[in-house]
Every structure is written in C-alpha cells, then in structure tokens.
C-alpha cells in the first residue's frame, strides 16, 4: 500500500499570505488504531491550536481510543472513527470515508508521511490547502530531531506556513499530552496510595510490549533485581497490560486498568515510569511523568518517549549500571512531592 500511494498528492499551497488566508476549520488525519500512534498526534493538535486559536479541529482516525485521548481538547469538534477491522464493519468503514466529504476544510494535515490511508484521506478531503507531510531532506539537515514521529509533522507544518508569511515558528515543540484534569490525577493518587501505603516515592514498570520489542521474563527479573538493589528507598510496582499478564509473574505490587485516562492519572503520580517501546510508554510521557523507554529493535530517534523529562536507552548498547546512573540523575532532577 505504501508503494501504491506514495505518489498520491502533493502539498497544496495556492498563492497567498497570512493576511488573506483564513484558517478556521482544520482536519488532521491519522487513520491508525494504535494507542502510541494516536498519542503521538497530540503535539500536532496543540501546535495547530496555538497557531490558530479560534479554529476547530476534526480528526480522522481508526479504532475507539481517540475520544479518550482528546477528551479535554475542547476545540476538537468531530472525531471520525474508522472501525479497527474494516471488513468486519464495511458499512461503518465506508461511512467514515464518506463523512470526509461532508465538510469543506481550510486546511488538511496528514500527520505522518508513512501512512497510506493518511495520504488517501488527505487527498480525498475537501480543501484548497493540503499538507501531505512528505519527508524533507533540507529539514532533516536543519533539525536533529526531525525524524521523531511526534515532531516531524510539526516541522513540516511550520515550513509550509512560512510560505504564507507566518513568522515566529520556532517555539519549542509541544510535549505529548492527554490533558489530565485535577480529578483524574487525584483519583490516581488515591489508587497509588492504596497499593503502596507508605510515604516513599514510586517507580512503576510496564513489562509488556508487542513482538520483538517485548523483553523476556529473565531480562525483567534481572533488571528488577538491579532496581531493587539500587533504589531501596523507592517503591517499585508494576502496571499490567490489558491482557493482565506479567513478565515478573505478579511478584511485586501491581495496578490494572483498561481505561487509558485512569491509567494516565495513576502514572502522573509516580516518580518514574519504565517501559519498552509501546503505547503505554507514550501514555506515560503524555501524562507528564518522567519516562524511560527501553529500545532494542525499533528506532529510538523515531519513537523514543517524548516530553522534556523523558529519555530512552538502547539496551543492546547500555548496561544496567549505566541505566541506573541515568535513572538516578532523572530522579534527582525531576523529583515530585
């Protein structure tokens, strides 16, 4: 599909400048159902709302998780949700595509160049201004973090808007953010206190991931023993995945929820979250918590956890002693009350 669609569309930017370009209704397309990929779109939504504070945004996505992610984004007006399994819900799938034609947009943004359905939906939508977010070698040379999937589309958008005379497009790129409200964070604090029942700060582990990104029980056991030895003044607990499994065989205190906002509120109260490359790793960053991403097969420069408190390591190149030193530095720098 990528080969078939890579030639579809090109950035559409009719002659004009910011004085006569009115952008009030925007479509951002990310037709993917994975939690991490949808969370990675939150910086782009924030960027658009900063640039166009009076605008309304529609989202074209897949699966059912987006309403939870964007619950507190008040300017997100409509979320068009394709079914996760199109051929099992063909009518709903076709209806979702048809809805793209029911509104005319001032700007359509494909949030990632690598998405075939993103390119198709950008082409299909009605707008004079379309950004397909193709990779630009000149931007990659200019920005060292251009390849990161949360930042790439923002650099492309800023470059696109500069053609219309928009200036001051050099602000720090927004973090991943699900905009937890105070009640969600307070509930998470209560749930954490029920588990730990002491005044020590907490390190939370998420031991699951998909495919080759998932570390073995042996690896996690050794890593946990290292953490326990070096951070005995911290609680160490585990957040369980939706499958309710544990690479530590449930031997340490754990928390389980299927609600991503409940999970986010819980994570927001821990001192550090550690996970392999996964959607929950990005959820931790989007909850504002210092997050350590463990990488061995996927590309750090593209998928590493992104907020200003987070970092990643390649476990094939970094031993546990060095990881401990990095954790210690992070805990000192971003200690929470």
């Amino acid at each position: 599909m990528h080969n078939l669609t890579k030639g579809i569309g090109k950035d559409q930017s009719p002659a004009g400048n910011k004085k006569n370009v009115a952008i009030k209704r925007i479509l951002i397309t990310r037709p993917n159902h994975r939690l991490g990929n949808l969370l990675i779109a939150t910086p782009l939504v924030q960027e658009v709302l900063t640039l166009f504070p009076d605008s309304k945004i529609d989202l074209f996505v897949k699966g059912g998780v987006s309403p939870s992610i964007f619950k507190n984004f008040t300017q997100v007006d409509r979320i068009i949700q394709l079914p996760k399994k199109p051929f099992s819900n063909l009518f709903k799938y076709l209806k979702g595509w048809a809805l793209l034609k029911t509104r005319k947009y001032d700007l359509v943004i494909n949030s990632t160049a690598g998405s075939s359905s993103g390119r198709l939906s950008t082409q299909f939508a009605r707008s004079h201004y379309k950004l397909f977010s193709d990779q630009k070698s000149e931007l990659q040379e200019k920005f060292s973090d251009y390849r990161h999937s949360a930042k790439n589309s923002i650099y492309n958008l800023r470059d696109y808007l500069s053609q219309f005379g928009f200036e001051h497009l050099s602000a720090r790129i927004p973090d991943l953010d699900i905009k937890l409200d105070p009640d969600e964070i307070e509930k998470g604090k209560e749930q954490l206190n029920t588990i730990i029942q002491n005044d020590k700060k907490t390190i939370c582990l998420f031991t699951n991931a998909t495919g080759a990104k998932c570390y073995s029980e042996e690896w996690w056991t050794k890593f946990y023993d290292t953490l326990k030895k070096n951070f005995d003044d911290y609680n160490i607990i585990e957040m369980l995945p939706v499958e309710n499994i544990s690479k530590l065989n449930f031997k340490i205190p754990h928390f389980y929820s299927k609600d991503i906002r409940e999970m986010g509120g819980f994570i927001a109260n821990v001192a550090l979250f550690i996970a392999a490359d996964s959607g929950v790793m990005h959820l931790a960053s989007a909850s504002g918590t210092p997050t350590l991403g463990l990488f061995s097969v996927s590309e750090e420069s593209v998928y590493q956890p992104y907020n200003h408190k987070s970092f990643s390591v390649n476990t094939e190149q970094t031993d546990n002693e060095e990881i401990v030193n990095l954790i210690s530095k992070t805990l000192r720098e971003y200690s929470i009350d």
Side-chain angles (χ1 to χ4, degrees):
M1 282 299 297
H2 177 70
N3 288 332
L4 289 172
T5 58
K6 64 182 180 181
I8 291 177
K10 62 179 181 179
D11 295 350
Q12 297 178 9
S13 51
N17 58 61
K18 65 180 180 180
K19 293 181 180 179
N20 56 31
V21 175
I23 296 180
K24 298 291 186 179
R25 184 162 292 281
I26 300 159
L27 174 69
I28 295 176
T29 175
R30 188 60 173 108
N32 186 287
H33 69 276
R34 293 187 178 277
L35 173 62
N37 288 331
L38 292 167
L39 288 166
I40 282 169
T42 59
L44 176 60
V45 174
Q46 295 174 78
E47 176 79 4
V48 166
L49 293 176
T50 298
L51 292 170
F52 308 106
D54 298 324
S55 65
K56 291 289 186 181
I57 295 176
D58 287 0
L59 301 174
F60 185 66
V61 298
K62 184 183 284 187
V65 74
S66 290
S68 292
I69 293 174
F70 296 98
K71 172 188 172 184
N72 290 335
F73 285 77
T74 57
Q75 288 167 268
V76 170
D77 186 31
R78 180 174 69 163
I79 301 178
I80 302 172
Q81 298 170 255
L82 298 179
K84 182 178 176 181
K85 298 180 178 180
F87 294 107
S88 298
N89 302 273
L90 189 57
F91 176 76
K92 185 176 180 182
Y93 180 76
L94 294 174
K95 180 182 177 182
W97 282 91
L99 285 171
L100 284 178
K101 288 291 190 182
T102 61
R103 286 181 176 174
K104 189 174 187 300
Y105 295 98
D106 300 312
L107 175 64
V108 177
I109 304 170
N110 176 27
S111 69
T112 178
S115 170
S116 300
S117 50
R119 297 190 72 86
L120 286 168
S121 54
T122 303
Q123 179 75 358
F124 192 62
R126 299 166 57 209
S127 178
H128 287 301
Y129 300 93
K130 295 183 180 183
L131 176 62
F132 285 85
S133 294
D134 291 322
Q135 299 288 334
K136 298 182 182 296
S137 57
E138 63 272 22
L139 294 181
Q140 185 167 336
E141 292 176 4
K142 185 176 181 180
F143 302 105
S144 61
D145 56 353
Y146 176 76
R147 295 187 70 244
H148 195 283
S149 53
K151 305 179 183 183
N152 176 275
S153 58
I154 295 176
Y155 284 127
N156 286 339
L157 175 62
R158 292 177 177 182
D159 180 67
Y160 179 78
L161 292 175
S162 68
Q163 300 174 42
F164 300 106
F166 284 83
E167 301 172 346
H168 308 298
L169 300 174
S170 58
R172 183 178 172 275
I173 289 179
D175 291 343
L176 271 68
D177 192 357
I178 59 170
K179 296 188 180 298
L180 293 166
D181 60 50
D183 289 341
E184 290 170 327
I185 295 173
E186 182 60 28
K187 180 181 178 183
K189 183 177 181 180
E190 292 171 359
Q191 291 172 319
L192 177 61
N193 288 337
T194 299
I195 295 172
I196 59 174
Q197 298 183 347
N198 61 49
D199 294 328
K200 295 194 295 185
K201 295 173 184 177
T202 299
I203 297 171
C204 187
L205 311 178
F206 183 76
T207 64
N208 197 48
T210 57
K213 295 186 291 185
C214 190
Y215 291 82
S216 67
E217 290 186 7
E218 180 182 5
W219 189 94
W220 275 109
T221 298
K222 183 178 179 181
F223 185 67
Y224 167 71
D225 289 342
T226 300
L227 292 177
K228 186 177 179 181
K229 176 182 177 181
N230 286 275
F231 301 100
D232 58 353
D233 53 340
Y234 282 79
N235 302 297
I236 302 178
I237 66 173
E238 182 179 6
M239 175 171 281
L240 302 178
V242 65
E243 298 87 354
N244 199 20
I245 57 177
S246 168
K247 293 294 183 182
L248 293 170
N249 293 310
F250 303 97
K251 70 179 182 181
I252 67 173
H254 51 266
F255 172 76
Y256 178 78
S257 174
K258 294 181 180 180
D259 184 323
I260 67 163
R261 299 199 70 83
E262 185 174 58
M263 294 165 66
F266 184 89
I267 294 169
N269 287 279
V270 305
L272 179 70
F273 194 87
I274 303 175
D277 178 21
S278 62
V280 176
M281 177 195 75
H282 292 299
L283 177 62
S285 283
S287 302
T289 291
T291 302
L292 165 57
L294 306 171
F295 284 73
S296 60
V297 293
S298 46
E299 294 184 77
E300 284 181 79
S301 62
V302 178
Y303 298 112
Q304 63 190 150
Y306 174 59
N307 65 30
H308 67 284
K309 305 174 185 177
S310 298
F311 65 103
S312 63
V313 297
N314 185 319
T315 55
E316 299 295 311
Q317 303 170 5
T318 313
D319 60 27
N320 282 350
E321 182 179 352
E322 187 174 350
I323 295 174
V324 164
N325 291 335
L326 291 170
I327 291 173
S328 297
K329 179 182 177 182
T330 299
L331 290 172
R332 288 194 303 271
E333 190 169 357
Y334 299 113
S335 178
I336 63 172
D337 295 330

